[in-house]
Amino acid sequence: MKSYIEQASQHIRLQEGKQAIEQLLVECYLNPGISTKELARKTLLPTPIAAAIKRELMKAGALKQDRGVRCTPDGAAWMENIYGYAGLDRTLFRELLQETKWNEKLQDVMAILRELFSLRPSVNVQIDQSKCTPETSLNRAILCLKQHALIGKKILCVGDDDLVSVSIGLLLQKLFPSGGHNVTKVQVLDIDERFLGYIETIAKERGLPITCRRLDLREGLPEYLHGRFDSFFTDPPYTLQGMSLFVSRGIQALKREKGLPIFLSFAHKAPSFMLAMQREFTRMGLTVAANFPRFNAYEGAEMIANRSQMFILRTTDQTKPEYPGTFADALYTGEVNQTLRTYRCKSCSREVFVGITGEIATIEQLKNEGCAGCGHDTFEMVAKKAVLREKMGEPLTD
C-alpha cells in the first residue's frame, strides 16, 4: 500500500520534492487546527501550493478540515507508527525549532556530552581530524531537527570524530522522555577504529540507535549502503578533493529523491577556493539552501581560527557523485601540499602539472581557470608523486 505522501505526490509535481509534503503533514500533526496560510509560512511554500498539497492529503485520508487543518485518526496513527512521533515532548520540540541554539532544558544533555567529549580519543592530524566542542556537536543535531531531517529518519555520518551521532541519539532520548522511539537510525562511517569503538561503546551503554562501520572512503561505498539514507553529516578534510570525495560518498548513500539535506562543515576559505567549491556543488547537482558562517567551534584549531562554516546543501533531480568509484588523488592537507599531480582535461586530453612545483598551484585554481587548451573545467588525475619541501633550510619528505 502506498503511503499518504506517495499518494499525494502522484498528483502534485513539486520542485521541492516529497519532503515538502511530509513537512506539511508533520505540521498538521503537531499543530492541529492550523490554517492553510500558516502551513504555507511554516513550509516556505506559496499558499496555492500548500493548499493543493492539503487537498491531496485530504483525498488520501490523512487530513481533514475541522476548525483549521488537522490529521484524521488514521493520519495521526500513521505519523506515530511510521515516523515514530508517539511520545514526543511537543513543548521542547517547538522551543528547539524557535531557539537559535540549545536552551536550558538541554543542560543535562550538555553535561553528558561534555563528559563524553573529555574522554574521546586524541585527534590524528594526518587525516585532518580536529576536535569540535560539545556545544557544536549538539547544535548540529538541533539543526538536523530544524530541517525536519531527524525524527523517523535514517541519518549517515560520513566521518564522525565530532560524535554527531551521539548528540543525535541523546537529543532523541530527550525529545522522547518515555522511551519507545525506535524509528530513527544513525550509521557512522569512519576510517579511525578508535572513534568507532568509542561511539559503539557509548551507544551500547546508553541505548542509542547507532551502528558503525570502518571504511576508507577512497575504496568506494559498499553496495548495500547505496540509496538508503535521508540525510548525511560530514566535516571532511579541508581540501577540494576531500570535500568532493566525502560528499560524493554521502550522495551515493542517499535515497534518490529531490530536496534531501546534506550538512557540510567546512573551513572559511579564500574567494578563489570558494568559487571552485561552488563549481563542485554545481557539478554534483547540489544547491546551497543555507550557509551559517562560524557555526562550528573547535578546540585548538588555530589554522582555521577555531571556527568553520556550516552549509546545508540539497539534492536535485541532477544530483550525482563527483567520484563514484575508487579515489586515487591526494586527499588530506598533508598529501595535497606534498605531491605533484598530473591532471588530464576530460575534453581535450591536455595534461597539466598541479602542485607547489607545478604549472598550477592548486586544483581549485585549475578548475577556476579551466583548461588552457579548450577552456573546459573537468579533469582527471592520471599521476602523482611526492615532492621535496624545504623547511628551516633542510629538505624534508614527510
Side-chain angles (χ1 to χ4, degrees):
M1 179 179 177
K2 292 182 179 179
S3 71
Y4 291 124
I5 294 171
E6 289 173 329
Q7 291 180 61
S9 67
Q10 282 184 322
H11 305 287
I12 306 175
R13 298 199 173 196
L14 288 174
Q15 296 295 328
E16 296 81 2
K18 294 179 182 177
Q19 284 64 43
I21 301 175
E22 177 188 311
Q23 186 181 346
L24 188 141
L25 183 55
V26 169
E27 293 294 346
C28 293
Y29 172 77
L30 295 175
N31 303 287
I34 190 171
S35 69
T36 303
K37 287 185 178 180
E38 186 65 9
L39 275 175
R41 188 185 70 81
K42 285 183 174 291
T43 56
L44 301 178
L45 292 170
T47 301
I49 299 297
I53 296 173
K54 178 192 73 173
R55 287 193 296 270
E56 292 301 328
L57 287 171
M58 290 176 67
K59 291 177 184 177
L63 298 180
K64 63 181 179 179
Q65 189 79 38
D66 178 15
R67 292 167 296 167
V69 189
R70 63 187 69 231
C71 286
T72 63
D74 286 345
W78 189 81
M79 290 296 299
E80 292 171 357
N81 295 329
I82 301 301
Y83 284 91
Y85 274 89
L88 174 69
D89 184 338
R90 297 192 183 197
T91 300
L92 177 60
F93 179 87
R94 293 191 185 99
E95 288 180 354
L96 292 178
L97 290 184
Q98 295 171 358
E99 293 286 338
T100 56
K101 293 187 177 181
W102 59 276
N103 64 15
E104 59 182 14
K105 290 190 176 180
L106 296 182
Q107 290 283 6
D108 53 344
V109 175
M110 183 52 59
I112 295 171
L113 283 173
R114 286 180 178 136
E115 179 182 359
L116 294 176
F117 272 57
S118 70
L119 299 173
R120 62 182 160 171
S122 59
V123 297
N124 182 351
V125 295
Q126 290 185 325
I127 56 175
D128 288 0
Q129 288 180 344
S130 59
K131 287 187 174 182
C132 87
T133 63
E135 291 82 0
T136 290
S137 185
L138 183 55
N139 282 338
R140 292 180 186 176
I142 294 172
L143 183 63
C144 186
L145 176 72
K146 290 182 176 181
Q147 294 295 313
H148 299 278
L150 178 64
I151 299 175
K153 301 296 185 180
K154 291 182 174 62
I155 305 166
L156 177 67
C157 293
V158 184
D160 196 25
D161 54 303
D162 295 329
L163 307 188
V164 175
S165 58
V166 174
S167 292
I168 288 173
L170 293 175
L171 179 59
L172 282 169
Q173 289 184 341
K174 188 69 175 179
L175 286 166
F176 295 90
S178 60
H181 178 80
N182 59 5
V183 181
T184 304
K185 304 294 182 183
V186 186
Q187 171 83 55
V188 175
L189 302 177
D190 205 297
I191 195 173
D192 193 328
E193 293 181 345
R194 301 172 305 149
F195 276 94
L196 292 174
Y198 188 53
I199 292 170
E200 285 178 330
T201 298
I202 295 171
K204 183 177 180 180
E205 292 177 348
R206 297 188 172 273
L208 305 182
I210 304 170
T211 56
C212 297
R213 177 190 170 100
R214 185 188 181 278
L215 181 67
D216 185 341
L217 296 178
R218 291 173 288 199
E219 297 174 357
L221 192 74
E223 192 65 32
Y224 81 93
L225 291 175
H226 285 223
R228 288 186 50 194
F229 296 89
D230 299 291
S231 68
F232 72 87
F233 282 85
T234 191
D235 192 342
Y238 294 155
T239 63
L240 194 66
Q241 301 95 313
M243 183 280 295
S244 296
L245 176 64
F246 278 53
V247 172
S248 289
R249 295 295 180 250
I251 287 173
Q252 290 176 303
L254 288 179
K255 296 174 181 177
R256 304 296 177 255
E257 297 178 10
K258 295 186 295 184
L260 298 181
I262 296 167
F263 301 94
L264 168 65
S265 297
F266 206 81
H268 296 95
K269 292 282 191 175
S272 60
F273 190 104
M274 296 306 298
L275 177 60
M277 192 170 173
Q278 290 182 50
R279 288 179 185 270
E280 295 293 285
F281 295 159
T282 301
R283 188 174 286 112
M284 289 187 279
L286 301 172
T287 63
V288 179
N291 173 243
F292 302 100
R294 301 178 61 80
F295 182 93
N296 303 293
Y298 301 86
E299 301 172 3
E302 285 80 8
M303 289 295 292
I304 58 170
N306 306 104
R307 293 280 179 172
S308 76
Q309 57 194 320
M310 169 66 76
F311 289 94
I312 300 178
L313 310 174
R314 288 199 178 270
T315 57
T316 68
D317 54 7
Q318 299 180 42
T319 296
K320 61 181 181 180
E322 174 78 355
Y323 299 108
T326 56
F327 179 85
D329 202 347
L331 176 60
Y332 301 108
T333 303
E335 293 177 327
V336 171
N337 290 342
Q338 298 171 33
T339 57
L340 180 65
R341 301 176 305 286
T342 305
Y343 287 91
R344 179 181 296 141
C345 175
K346 288 187 176 181
S347 177
C348 70
S349 298
R350 183 187 180 98
E351 294 187 351
V352 59
F353 296 110
V354 176
I356 57 175
T357 62
E359 305 162 58
I360 299 288
T362 63
I363 184 59
E364 56 267 18
Q365 179 186 349
L366 176 61
K367 290 187 174 184
N368 283 341
E369 294 182 4
C371 175
C374 67
H376 283 257
D377 64 353
T378 54
F379 302 87
E380 60 180 342
M381 195 202 69
V382 294
K384 67 177 179 179
K385 65 177 181 178
V387 298
L388 295 177
R389 292 190 306 162
E390 294 208 359
K391 183 177 181 182
M392 301 300 289
E394 296 183 8
L396 297 176
T397 56
D398 30 58

